Amino acid sequence: MTMTDYELIRYDVADKVARITLDDPTSRNALSTSLRRELVAAINRAERDDDVSVILLAGAGPVFCSGYDLRGYSPPEGGYISAQMFDRWTDQYARNCVKDWLTIWDCLKPVVCKVHGACLAGGTEVMSMCDIVFVADDARIGYPPTREMSSPDTGYFPWKMGMAHAKYMQLTGSTISGKQAADWGWVAKSFAADDFDAEVEKEVAALATIPVDMLAANKGSLNQAYEMMGFKNSLMMAIHWHTASAWNRPNAGNFGKIAAEKGIKGYIAWRDEKWTDIDYRPGKDGKPV
């Protein structure tokens, strides 16, 4: 395979690092079914490549990822599992998303995520399933759809930060800066925007000098401990809360109604109007929070 085998990502290997770059400028790297399929295939490809020790996931353009693609929910290749009998009540969409992101978790090799610009909603699911995350200080990170649309497809919040911050982030849908995400322990480190690329390159180059079998043993040891504490069971249970919040609660139809009337941008403006003085946005206060 070469770079031309992909339409929505870029894939390169050099110096024992496989670089997977989300590259769909038409959607600000939104997670369409096609992009997700290419991303999962690229991770599996890197895992099988003896010339790769570390996988680096990044985004092209002004943002890392704007979230799931709201322009349409096309089924994955091969379709969902018997949609007539299992769709909606089993939440095949969320189930498929969790399955995709567990590819990152189950990959034998460490997956490092490099976040700049914005990382929102489904983008934070990808980010949070990676093994090590580096962010720019001024990156904007959060899950605004939990304000009205649904709980997360991949319920990572309880596992990525303390209870106080997990409840704040999921209940409010707030966005915070990359620097604050690092201070809260959501991500490993944040760097000033001017130093970001160089610092991440330094970290990844050093990580790639560790023997890949040692990396795999350490990752497996850590993952097994979290799985014994219920990590995967928790993710599967969160799918049912996504189903209930997206389809079964009394106000579940607001997204469709308001988006049909005002468009998606109008819906987002309606959803976030009470949070403009709370949500972090780069430059709003002159510096990252």
Side-chain angles (χ1 to χ4, degrees), residues 103 183 187 217 260:
T103 303
D183 291 343
V187 302

Side-chain angles (χ1 to χ4, degrees), residues 30-88:
L31 298 167
S32 64
T33 304
S34 298
L35 190 149
R36 286 166 45 205
R37 180 173 61 247
E38 291 188 10
L39 175 56
V40 169
I43 292 168
N44 287 331
R45 173 181 175 181
E47 185 180 36
R48 290 173 170 82
D49 188 343
D50 288 337
D51 290 329
V52 172
S53 294
V54 175
I55 300 167
L56 177 62
L57 179 59
V63 305
F64 169 70
C65 179
S66 59
Y68 287 115
D69 194 339
L70 299 181
R71 296 174 297 181
Y73 294 95
S74 59
E77 189 172 354
Y80 291 126
I81 298 173
S82 185
Q84 182 180 357
M85 298 302 295
F86 291 122
D87 200 13
R88 188 160 294 195

Side-chain angles (χ1 to χ4, degrees), residues 75-154:
E77 189 172 354
Y80 291 126
I81 298 173
S82 185
Q84 182 180 357
M85 298 302 295
F86 291 122
D87 200 13
R88 188 160 294 195
W89 77 273
T90 61
D91 205 333
Q92 290 291 299
Y93 182 84
R95 184 174 182 270
N96 201 254
C97 292
V98 173
K99 179 181 177 181
D100 282 350
W101 308 146
L102 282 172
T103 303
I104 299 171
W105 177 265
D106 291 330
C107 179
L108 289 168
K109 298 173 181 178
V111 182
V112 177
C113 192
K114 178 184 178 183
V115 172
H116 74 290
C119 179
L120 301 173
T124 67
E125 296 181 15
V126 177
M127 179 193 82
S128 297
M129 293 297 284
C130 291
D131 301 298
I132 299 174
V133 181
F134 301 120
V135 302
D137 282 347
D138 62 355
R140 178 172 169 248
I141 305 172
Y143 213 120
T146 63
R147 287 176 180 160
E148 204 285 323
M149 193 173 180
S150 72
S151 59
D153 300 78
T154 306

